[in-house]
Amino acid sequence: MIRSTAQVESVAPEPRIGVYVCRCGGNISDVIDTEKVAETIKLVPGVRVSKVHSFMCSEPGQAMIAEDIKKEQLNRVVVASCSPFLHELTFRVAVRRGGLNPYLYEHVNIREQGSWSHHGDPEGATVKAIRLLAAAVHRLYHAEPLEQIRLPSHRRALVIGGGIAGLKAAVDLAAKDVGVVLVEREPQLGGRLLGLASLFPNDESGRAQIDRLVGEVQNNRNIEVLTGTVIKSVSGFLGNYDIAVGPASAGGAADVEAGGAKEKKLSVGAIIVATGHDYYRPGSGEYGFKRYTQVVTMPEFIDLLAGASRDGIEFNGQRIRRIGFMHCVGSRQIEGIHQPQADGRVNDYCSRVCCTTVLHQALHAKRRFPYLAVFDFHQDIRTYGRLHEDYYRRASEAGVVFFRFHGDEPPLVEGGVDGYPVQVRLKDWLTWGEEIVVPLDLLVLAVGMVARDNRELVNLLKLPIGADRFFQEVHPKLRPVETSVNGILLAGTAQAPMTIEETLASASAAASKAACLLAHDSVELETFKARVDADKCIGCGLCFPECAYEGALVRTNVEREGKTVTLASVNPGLCVGCGACVPVCPTRAIDLQGWTLSQFEAMVDGLLSAPLPSQPATSESSSHGKAH
Amino acid sequence: MQNSQVQSAYFDVVVVGGGISGIQAALDLGDQDHKVLLVERSASIGGKMISLSKTFPTLDCSSCITTPKMSAAFHHPNIQVWTSTDVERVESSDGVRKVHLCRHPTYVDNSLCIGCRLCEYACPVEYPDPFEEGLGAQRAIAVPFTNALPQKAVLNPRYCIACGACIKACPTDAVQFDQREERLTVEAGAVVLTTGFALNSLELKREYNAARSANIISPLQLERLLVPHGPYGRVLRPSDGKVPGNVAFVLCAGSRDQSIGVLYCSRFCCMYSIKQAMLLSGALPTAELTIYYMDIRAFGKGHEQFYQNAKAMGIQFVKAKVASIEPVTGDDISLRVELEEEAGRVAERRHDLVVLAQGAIPVFEPAKALNTPAAEDGFLRQPDSVKITWTGVEGVFAAGCALGPKDIVDSIVEAGAAAMEASKFLAMRTAGRSPAQKPDRLANPVGT
Ligand SMILES: Cc1cc2nc3c(=O)[nH]c(=O)nc-3n(C[C@H](O)[C@H](O)[C@H](O)COP(=O)(O)OP(=O)(O)OC[C@H]3O[C@@H](n4cnc5c(N)ncnc54)[C@H](O)[C@@H]3O)c2cc1C
Ligand SMILES: Cc1cc2nc3c(=O)[nH]c(=O)nc-3n(C[C@H](O)[C@H](O)[C@H](O)COP(=O)(O)OP(=O)(O)OC[C@H]3O[C@@H](n4cnc5c(N)ncnc54)[C@H](O)[C@@H]3O)c2cc1C
Ligand code: SF4
Ligand code: SF4
Ligand code: SF4
Ligand code: SF4
């Protein structure tokens, strides 16, 4: 089933190399003398064309490459510009547009690793650019055309987590005829929303929203739901993941009752992680939590309000008349002011939903019980979303009293006097920092969101976690639902705090990415993988212990001179191209295609023999002028 | 352009608006094998994002991260891009969407133009460059900006003096003075509206007197000033070219304000103002930078940390209502502020450059262009709490700032979601229909 990379026919032996130096609209040329770089690099053997452009990534810049390839019969191309992370792919495509194999291209970073890091030393940066370019040119002497690896894939996805994010992703994919296995740890689907009785922005109950989606999931022939189930093992790669699932905790009778979850093996092409968030649990004594019974968390208050009779909110045998809401509990923490969390870090992020939640719940409470006196303690009111600002305006109109504190001087919660169980003492900055004491019957802590403790899953999926402990997306601006593992996507609050609307958008976006990846019956993989020259491999097995990626190296038996020998071969789906196996091989049988040892050697030669602006090209540099 | 064949064109999806939301939606749809038409009103795709300096909270160079997306959409085998084309109206009836388009004349034949800019160099007329927010100069015929896509010249008839210099200069005879506006209609299985936002007028708040000083600027102008290759190549204030030493940012200057009818929060202005102040403090290390705010809304991933960094860098955050702004001598500006943390004490503060965080308002008029009422805030409605990108009109979805202001990452997420809903809608609709009915592709008239 797994076909290794096809090497296409060899190119013309004599290198004809085009070098392009980008000014990046001044980002580079303000420091590096790009004209001089282009002029000097011409002295390196094999360089036929050497040009400077203001924006190589622009359409005219790219078109110039394609045109030169044809006109000058270039057979290799180098661009010196920004980080390859941004534009390597752009130029590979441009090179292909010119009719050349995209791997006969080399990218040199002279911005992040040049002009930006050496802006105080223009000359040094210019020399460095020349050296890096010379290295690239030398490496290209040994470049070979490569092709992307295509592997057949399963048109089926695994969705982990059956909260609103997981449900939505499953429904979306199923509608596109992608099979879905939805795995939920708890005995029932729904996640956090099951506990939220009334939601902004339309006062719907969490359960009503969940019921709509659960209805769609249950009547769907494309979706298999496994509740009370967790992931036990994961192996494979984009298009070909093998998953084992099993009951949520080590097989007690309770679990069987809970959902009758069984061990099971699945094959899927993509994985969507929709494992959601936890509420922040305040520490003992934090804003009086646990010290005073009358200090409760927001989810507890939502329950309390939902359960209140028409006569009013009763708590601990007392009728509640004065309620305070404390914002930012467990969020926007400052080092040195707040107690660090278990991992030694504070939660320095904003939880995004709690400001609007406070105002929405406060209004909801006031609507039911107009006599309530409501006090709000905040740093900023972050009602940013559609209709959210309305709650702020209406809360002010309804007589909610606002106090503002500074993050480095959080309010104190104390035992109350005159029959009030608690009071809040703070410096209020809506006046002039006056010290104010507010006696209360009940203080509600607007707890933020924290990442779930999902260590096992994190280890199984090998996903990176951000400093805020949420799953880390691969690019925070451009690729918010993708991870660094190709084929594993993020949906909902597993990635960061968000509202339901934002959770739904994120779930659909993740489903969309999965549908793109699984649109065809095969997937394309990056081509930089290890490869074994079977003729050179002596079967010593030294490479196996070096490889950290299970299944990347495979023992294959072949007949050699009448005997069966066990040689190494590579599964390109699992090889990550780290190269750890390469140096141990005594016969140089294993090499990383696209990054071979001989290419590295040539780069070192290039760095050392680079012609520098003041001096002419050394004769040494030409000795490597001929490709192997 | 001859467009008789276009009259009968059919696309799986027409995406209206080529900003980052439209580009992302088109890419997600194209990658799922749908045939997509991406229509953009201006001469290049990229929307607001292509003109920004850097993006919060990562401080990525904006044009560096936008161009690859633009290029990917532009060269995608399933996506056609029509620029200088306005969507005037979308009709949804009898199971099909009719998209009524108006193609503006560019006076250049895109199939001939090679983007060499010889016409631009030859043109004797200059006018305030719209891409540079009026700060730099542009020729009456020009390729709109360095990394515009497509790289085709466009002639601006308002400034052209019909001297014919461009016609003579053009090596391919692409300049055509006799082009006309054209109206045409294409059919679509589904429509995704990604028409984005506009900023409300700088002069909307009379007491801010923006009309009376060139040094009361819009944040988009500051974005251009902050770009390394921007109109002046560095940050100078417009009135006299002085390097500003004391800059004020006035937040909520066109939002959260009953007096101007914009009640909502524009959502990205706190963050871009902090970003701009940070970039300014890099460009002008000695400048004093003050942000006047009501609430700092740094709610997104990494945003609060970004805000705290800005505070640590010495940027002043002053909680205050700016009551009025007056130009004073020396081209400076005086702000009358109520300092909320000093019990509303009124103070006069002097600055030499003031940036007003204008409100973000809709550009698409649902009542006129889609025959459906707008939501209270003027943007498209989101009537379904589960299919959040659906506009309430059959087969018509929306994303990004067309559904209310939001930053780039939230726009990109929503664009993916709208693509998903549109793709699902098509899947449901075509279930049962034979694939032979799939219509043909057209030649791309912008000549990719
Ligand atoms: C107090 C509070 C009030 C709120 N009120 C509102 C509101 O009014 N309006 C609004 O828009 N938003 C509100 N929100 C936000 C809203 O709760 C979230 O946006 C939403 O719940 C996110 O859903 P999710 O699917 O991402 O996560 P979750 O609801 O947490 O679902 C995740 C699911 O994954 C499962 N899971 C976790 N780990 C595993 C595993 N390893 N294997 C299998 N399954 C697993 C969990 O059991 C759970 O069912 C509020 C948030 C808080 C904290
Ligand atoms: C000063 C400023 C700084 C900012 N900085 C940042 C930042 O640092 N980070 C960040 O995340 N966000 C930032 N933003 C926000 C960012 O600009 C938006 O998130 C983003 O541009 C939204 O993209 P969009 O595609 O939804 O809308 P737009 O960019 O507005 O694109 C909409 C497109 O649709 C076209 N169009 C409209 N109507 C029609 C029609 N009828 N027919 C055809 N085409 C049409 C328009 O011409 C436009 O090209 C900033 C915004 C401003 C104002
Ligand atoms: S949303 Fe409001 S309450 Fe929640 S962390 Fe942010 S600022 Fe604090
Ligand atoms: S390159 Fe790395 S992952 Fe691939 S086989 Fe060698 S050691 Fe394993
Ligand atoms: S119109 Fe002619 S001169 Fe102008 S850019 Fe196009 S090809 Fe060049
Ligand atoms: S984002 Fe900030 S500046 Fe913009 S309207 Fe909202 S609160 Fe005001």
Side-chain angles (χ1 to χ4, degrees):
Chain A
M1 175 190 97
I2 291 161
R3 190 164 55 78
S4 80
T5 318
Q7 250 177 284
V8 263
E9 73 305 332
S10 206
V11 281
E14 192 217 350
R16 299 177 63 87
I17 302 178
V19 176
Y20 300 88
V21 183
C22 185
R23 296 192 190 98
C24 196
N27 275 306
I28 293 171
S29 56
D30 286 353
V31 176
I32 292 176
D33 185 342
T34 42
E35 265 67 19
K36 187 170 280 167
V37 172
E39 195 181 294
T40 314
I41 204 70
K42 269 202 192 115
L43 303 173
V44 179
V47 175
R48 288 299 143 126
V49 173
S50 167
K51 293 182 175 170
V52 182
H53 194 275
S54 282
F55 285 104
M56 278 309 302
C57 59
S58 68
E59 190 54 27
Q62 293 188 44
M64 179 166 80
I65 298 178
E67 213 169 280
D68 285 354
I69 290 173
K70 289 185 189 130
K71 218 166 57 200
E72 304 285 339
Q73 288 163 346
L74 300 180
N75 54 21
R76 278 133 170 86
V77 171
V78 189
V79 175
S81 60
C82 52
S83 154
F85 181 70
L86 293 169
H87 278 312
E88 186 174 52
L89 194 65
T90 313
F91 296 122
R92 280 199 202 289
V93 173
V95 163
R96 180 159 53 198
R97 268 205 276 156
L100 208 56
N101 179 285
Y103 293 93
L104 297 173
Y105 168 74
E106 183 64 9
H107 195 96
V108 178
N109 179 353
I110 58 166
R111 193 180 72 175
E112 286 82 347
Q113 295 171 2
S115 58
W116 285 359
S117 37
H118 309 291
H119 52 83
D121 179 12
E123 254 161 63
T126 304
V127 169
K128 179 173 175 184
I130 294 168
R131 285 199 192 274
L132 290 174
L133 265 168
V137 167
H138 278 249
R139 183 163 119 76
L140 279 179
Y141 299 156
H142 299 271
E144 51 191 8
L146 299 172
E147 279 199 348
Q148 290 230 293
I149 303 168
R150 294 199 141 272
L151 296 175
S153 73
H154 301 288
R155 203 174 149 78
R156 192 147 82 127
L158 168 68
V159 177
I160 309 174
I164 191 152
L167 290 167
K168 177 67 175 165
V171 164
D172 283 359
L173 280 172
K176 290 277 318 213
D177 238 1
V178 176
V180 177
V181 185
L182 178 57
V183 171
E184 167 59 53
R185 180 163 65 185
E186 301 295 322
Q188 78 285 344
L189 295 170
R192 292 276 166 232
L193 289 199
L194 294 178
L196 298 176
S198 166
L199 300 167
F200 67 80
N202 45 22
D203 293 327
E204 212 174 341
S205 79
R207 181 167 289 279
Q209 266 193 24
I210 291 297
D211 284 349
R212 274 178 72 188
L213 282 166
V214 169
E216 279 187 63
V217 163
Q218 277 168 347
N219 301 322
N220 203 309
R221 66 188 161 86
N222 285 334
I223 304 177
E224 181 183 355
V225 178
L226 304 173
T227 47
T229 302
V230 290
I231 311 301
K232 296 286 183 189
S233 77
V234 177
S235 64
F237 44 90
L238 170 64
N240 296 274
Y241 283 104
D242 291 313
I243 314 284
V245 299
S249 55
D255 293 300
V256 180
E257 269 171 54
K262 290 192 204 76
E263 307 278 338
K264 197 165 176 162
K265 295 213 180 315
L266 316 162
S267 300
V268 298
I271 301 174
I272 295 181
V273 179
T275 49
H277 65 281
D278 257 332
Y279 299 134
Y280 174 73
R281 270 314 277 175
S284 222
E286 187 175 353
Y287 291 113
F289 189 66
K290 292 252 175 81
R291 186 173 311 148
Y292 308 105
T293 334
Q294 290 80 359
V295 176
V296 300
T297 65
M298 177 60 86
E300 287 163 355
F301 175 73
I302 292 174
D303 272 354
L304 187 64
L305 185 60
S309 73
R310 291 171 49 183
D311 307 332
I313 308 173
E314 294 277 345
F315 184 75
N316 213 19
Q318 201 184 352
R319 171 69 49 80
I320 304 299
R321 296 181 168 276
R322 289 169 69 91
I323 306 183
F325 289 92
M326 184 66 66
H327 286 239
C328 304
V329 178
S331 312
R332 298 182 68 184
Q333 293 178 327
I334 302 173
E335 231 167 288
I337 306 266
H338 296 92
Q339 282 289 323
Q341 303 303 309
D343 62 358
R345 283 193 298 242
V346 294
N347 295 343
D348 56 2
Y349 56 88
C350 163
S351 287
R352 193 166 177 153
V353 300
C354 17
C355 272
T356 311
T357 301
V358 164
L359 298 180
H360 174 247
Q361 297 297 344
L363 274 168
H364 191 46
K366 275 210 75 115
R367 200 163 50 226
R368 285 191 62 191
F369 310 111
Y371 59 82
L372 282 176
V374 177
F375 304 89
D376 176 294
F377 308 96
H378 66 267
Q379 306 182 61
D380 297 277
I381 295 283
R382 293 187 166 165
T383 43
Y384 62 89
R386 259 189 127 171
L387 299 174
H388 295 189
E389 189 76 7
D390 261 13
Y391 292 120
Y392 190 12
R393 194 171 38 80
R394 277 162 42 204
S396 311
E397 284 164 10
V400 172
V401 183
F402 290 91
F403 300 98
R404 177 171 301 216
F405 62 90
H406 283 176
D408 50 9
E409 274 182 300
L412 296 173
V413 178
E414 314 168 333
V417 287
D418 299 338
Y420 291 107
V422 288
Q423 63 186 30
V424 171
R425 179 185 298 276
L426 81 161
K427 269 196 194 160
D428 172 37
W429 290 102
L430 288 179
T431 51
W432 53 88
E434 182 189 13
E435 186 162 284
I436 286 181
V437 175
V438 185
L440 298 169
D441 296 323
L442 189 70
L443 176 65
V444 181
L445 304 183
V447 290
M449 293 192 191
V450 293
R452 274 185 206 265
D453 183 8
N454 248 325
R455 235 162 298 174
E456 279 159 48
L457 191 65
V458 170
N459 289 338
L460 287 175
L461 297 174
K462 303 182 184 75
L463 288 181
I465 300 297
D468 56 9
R469 298 176 223 95
F470 288 89
F471 284 105
Q472 184 67 50
E473 64 281 7
V474 66
H475 190 293
K477 270 299 24 146
L478 292 184
R479 295 164 69 191
V481 299
E482 293 161 80
T483 68
S484 56
V485 184
N486 203 0
I488 304 189
L489 305 157
L490 303 175
T493 52
Q495 187 244 347
M498 47 183 101
T499 65
I500 293 164
E501 192 182 298
E502 291 155 353
T503 297
L504 287 164
S506 142
S508 290
S512 179
K513 286 289 169 303
C516 292
L517 290 171
L518 306 180
H520 305 112
D521 48 14
S522 64
V523 289
E524 279 196 358
L525 304 177
E526 209 16 292
T527 176
F528 303 111
K529 310 283 178 181
R531 139 183 107 204
V532 179
D533 182 341
D535 295 337
K536 286 195 197 156
C537 178
I538 52 170
C540 66
L542 283 175
C543 51
F544 283 91
E546 298 303 318
C547 179
Y549 297 89
E550 225 179 287
L553 281 173
V554 189
R555 283 173 219 274
T556 339
N557 291 335
V558 294
E559 292 295 312
R560 190 178 271 177
E561 289 155 10
K563 274 188 282 179
T564 308
V565 284
T566 307
L567 303 183
S569 69
V570 176
N571 177 341
L574 288 170
C575 170
V576 299
C578 66
C581 52
V582 176
V584 299
C585 180
T587 64
R588 281 204 178 192
I590 194 161
D591 217 336
L592 208 59
Q593 67 181 9
W595 285 100
T596 61
L597 270 183
S598 44
Q599 287 175 340
F600 280 108
E601 285 160 358
M603 285 175 81
V604 175
D605 288 344
L607 281 172
L608 296 177
S609 66
L612 298 178
S614 45
Q615 66 201 62
T618 59
S619 57
E620 203 196 328
S621 70
S622 54
S623 66
H624 297 282
K626 292 276 169 290
H628 47 288
Chain B
M1 233 155 298
Q2 291 75 50
N3 273 311
S4 47
Q5 85 275 32
V6 175
Q7 305 295 344
S8 57
Y10 173 91
F11 294 88
D12 294 335
V13 188
V14 173
V15 177
V16 185
I20 190 64
S21 306
I23 289 172
Q24 186 61 52
L27 283 171
D28 270 28
L29 287 160
D31 282 350
Q32 293 181 56
D33 291 338
H34 297 297
K35 302 297 175 204
V36 180
L37 172 64
L38 176 60
V39 184
E40 167 57 47
R41 161 186 291 175
S42 44
S44 169
I45 55 172
K48 305 282 186 307
M49 187 177 166
I50 188 63
S51 68
L52 303 179
S53 54
K54 301 201 170 169
T55 57
F56 67 74
T58 49
L59 296 184
D60 280 306
C61 155
S62 192
S63 76
C64 307
I65 63 173
T66 319
T67 34
K69 288 258 179 195
M70 289 163 64
S71 183
F74 199 75
H75 297 294
H76 197 291
N78 291 331
I79 303 172
Q80 285 193 51
V81 178
W82 291 0
T83 47
S84 299
T85 307
D86 233 302
V87 168
E88 295 190 319
R89 211 154 42 80
V90 177
E91 266 179 279
S92 177
S93 58
D94 308 328
V96 72
R97 263 49 54 198
K98 286 206 171 95
V99 183
H100 302 285
L101 306 169
C102 174
R103 308 192 78 154
H104 304 298
T106 61
Y107 305 100
V108 172
D109 184 338
N110 276 354
S111 65
L112 295 176
C113 175
I114 53 166
C116 68
R117 300 189 158 198
L118 292 178
C119 53
E120 184 176 330
Y121 306 143
C123 177
V125 185
E126 286 190 336
Y127 71 101
D129 188 349
F131 184 72
E132 300 294 358
E133 297 294 322
L135 296 175
Q138 177 68 289
R139 301 289 168 90
I141 187 167
V143 175
F145 51 93
T146 324
N147 34 18
L149 256 190
Q151 278 281 313
K152 306 288 175 186
V154 176
L155 181 147
N156 186 334
R158 266 184 65 197
Y159 296 94
C160 172
I161 54 170
C163 67
C166 52
I167 298 184
K168 283 197 216 98
C170 179
T172 66
D173 292 330
V175 183
Q176 294 173 349
F177 279 7
D178 58 356
Q179 263 188 20
R180 259 161 223 286
E181 190 173 271
E182 283 174 70
R183 290 209 150 59
L184 50 116
T185 301
V186 297
E187 288 192 2
V191 170
V192 177
L193 298 170
T194 47
T195 47
F197 68 101
L199 293 182
N200 53 17
S201 163
L202 208 55
E203 289 155 30
L204 195 61
K205 273 184 87 70
R206 289 253 212 79
E207 57 277 30
Y208 285 180
N209 285 307
R212 287 175 42 210
S213 171
N215 295 337
I216 301 176
I217 64 170
S218 113
L220 280 171
Q221 287 179 316
L222 185 55
E223 290 289 334
R224 294 312 301 161
L225 290 174
L226 285 165
V227 175
H229 51 278
Y232 310 151
R234 58 207 184 111
V235 183
L236 303 173
R237 69 176 191 179
S239 81
D240 54 3
K242 186 185 128 186
V243 176
N246 189 349
V247 184
F249 294 85
V250 179
L251 300 197
C252 306
S255 320
R256 304 181 62 192
D257 187 342
Q258 220 137 9
S259 74
I260 54 171
V262 179
L263 295 175
Y264 56 85
C265 161
S266 290
R267 197 160 154 162
F268 43 56
C269 13
C270 278
M271 283 303 292
Y272 73 58
S273 301
I274 297 174
K275 166 193 79 177
Q276 294 182 335
M278 271 192 178
L279 295 175
L280 268 181
S281 93
L284 312 169
T286 58
E288 278 187 50
L289 304 164
T290 311
I291 295 182
Y292 296 100
Y293 72 97
M294 301 210 285
D295 299 275
I296 291 294
R297 295 194 164 161
F299 54 83
K301 191 164 181 169
H303 293 189
E304 177 69 19
Q305 296 89 326
F306 191 79
Y307 168 38
Q308 296 305 334
N309 286 345
K311 277 199 199 162
M313 285 168 73
I315 293 161
Q316 294 296 311
F317 288 83
V318 177
K319 180 158 167 56
K321 277 206 195 85
V322 176
S324 64
I325 303 178
E326 290 280 342
V328 290
T329 47
D331 286 359
D332 284 359
I333 296 141
S334 164
L335 267 60
R336 212 179 139 75
V337 296
E338 282 171 35
L339 300 170
E340 294 210 353
E341 302 209 327
E342 296 178 29
R345 183 173 71 82
V346 176
E348 297 279 338
R349 297 277 197 111
R350 206 167 156 136
H351 297 276
D352 52 15
L353 186 69
V354 173
V355 191
L356 298 184
Q358 293 156 277
I361 53 171
V363 288
F364 189 83
E365 295 173 68
K368 233 175 76 187
L370 190 60
N371 198 22
T372 185
E376 249 174 79
D377 56 11
F379 292 92
L380 284 149
R381 290 189 309 131
Q382 296 172 271
D384 189 317
S385 63
V386 171
K387 271 194 244 166
I388 57 129
T389 57
W390 183 49
T391 62
V393 176
E394 192 192 61
V396 182
F397 306 89
C401 295
L403 292 178
K406 54 185 66 73
D407 70 358
I408 292 162
V409 68
D410 289 352
S411 295
I412 285 180
V413 168
E414 215 165 64
M420 192 70 222
E421 293 297 350
S423 178
K424 276 164 62 183
F425 178 79
L426 292 174
M428 271 167 20
R429 216 174 60 105
T430 43
R433 226 194 347 156
S434 81
Q437 263 178 278
K438 275 268 170 80
D440 324 319
R441 271 201 84 198
L442 302 162
N444 189 338
V446 289
T448 40

